[in-house]
Amino acid sequence: MRLVLVGPPGAGKGTQAALLTRRLGIPAVSTGDVLEGEIAAGSELGTAARGVMQRGELVPDDVVERMVAARLGRPDAAAGFLLDGFPRDCAQAEALDTMLAAAGRRLDAVVSLTVPDAQVLERIRRRAAEQDRVDDDEATARHRLQVFTEQTAPLVARYRRQGVLVQVDGTGSVDEVAERVVAALDAKVGR
Ligand code: AMP
């Protein structure tokens, strides 16, 4: 199954991605994690991306598109994958469609997790206290939410038009949300 998980920062995408991939037996591909890994490794890419990420802005499309193409080309992604944090804007969505079409494939479903802004900000604040992310202070959190609203949220309409959108209420406990996602996917693609 080829899936994309879309949602605002702090919507619980990473947590749900981990649960889903275990359940579905497909790898999770998180561009945020790959970029954090590049920063930790001190690579050229990581050094270039760090400032952009600290400001809560998007790393250039061509950089993440190349990262994703390389990752999806690995053998473990041949039977399916769950993308978390990609695509993030329309150009990336088009690049993904092109990548998949070149291999004769398409997305099976795009899960959009919806969480009200106030809850998202509260979750990010809590996470900032617990984790050591480069981009979790208050001002950056607000900016990331704005970037999501302006650049990523329009993807929902695109995927609705394509007939692959699955909208899921992202509020409540991790388990409740996971159950909703699985039920919605079952209904959509008959997994
Ligand atoms: P995330 O962990 O998905 O919230 O990503 C953390 C940060 O990594 C984002 O705020 C962006 O700066 C960068 N990033 C992750 N995925 C992408 C993407 N698909 N396109 C551009 N930037 C990204």
Side-chain angles (χ1 to χ4, degrees), residues 56-58 142-153:
E57 280 159 20
L58 296 185
R142 285 185 182 280
H143 188 55
R144 289 171 70 217
L145 189 51
Q146 187 190 348
V147 168
F148 172 80
T149 305
E150 289 172 6
Q151 303 194 52
T152 310

Side-chain angles (χ1 to χ4, degrees), residues 101-121:
R105 313 217 186 278
R106 65 190 297 268
L107 289 173
D108 293 297
V110 174
V111 178
S112 163
L113 284 182
T114 56
V115 179
D117 285 4
Q119 262 191 50
V120 160
L121 288 168

Side-chain angles (χ1 to χ4, degrees), residues 26-46:
I26 49 176
V29 177
S30 157
T31 42
D33 285 355
V34 177
L35 289 164
E36 292 279 354
E38 295 284 343
I39 292 176
S43 73
E44 207 175 306
L45 196 163

Side-chain angles (χ1 to χ4, degrees), residues 31-32 35 53 57-59 64 85-86 88 92 133 135 144:
T31 42
L35 289 164
M53 289 172 70
E57 280 159 20
L58 296 185
V59 172
V64 278
F86 181 95
R88 218 44 169 239
Q92 292 180 14
R133 286 179 57 132
D135 57 2
R144 289 171 70 217

Side-chain angles (χ1 to χ4, degrees), residues 115-187:
V115 179
D117 285 4
Q119 262 191 50
V120 160
L121 288 168
E122 180 49 38
R123 285 189 192 183
I124 295 178
R125 258 183 234 123
R126 220 180 312 136
R127 188 165 67 187
E130 290 162 6
Q131 293 179 10
D132 190 25
R133 286 179 57 132
V134 296
D135 57 2
D136 261 351
D137 70 69
E138 175 80 30
T140 312
R142 285 185 182 280
H143 188 55
R144 289 171 70 217
L145 189 51
Q146 187 190 348
V147 168
F148 172 80
T149 305
E150 289 172 6
Q151 303 194 52
T152 310
L155 296 182
V156 168
R158 174 195 180 92
Y159 288 127
R160 186 179 288 118
R161 277 196 304 276
Q162 286 186 5
V164 288
L165 185 70
V166 176
Q167 215 144 11
V168 175
D169 174 4
T171 62
S173 73
V174 167
D175 289 340
E176 278 165 359
V177 177
E179 287 311 317
R180 272 180 221 137
V181 171
V182 170
L185 278 176
D186 277 344

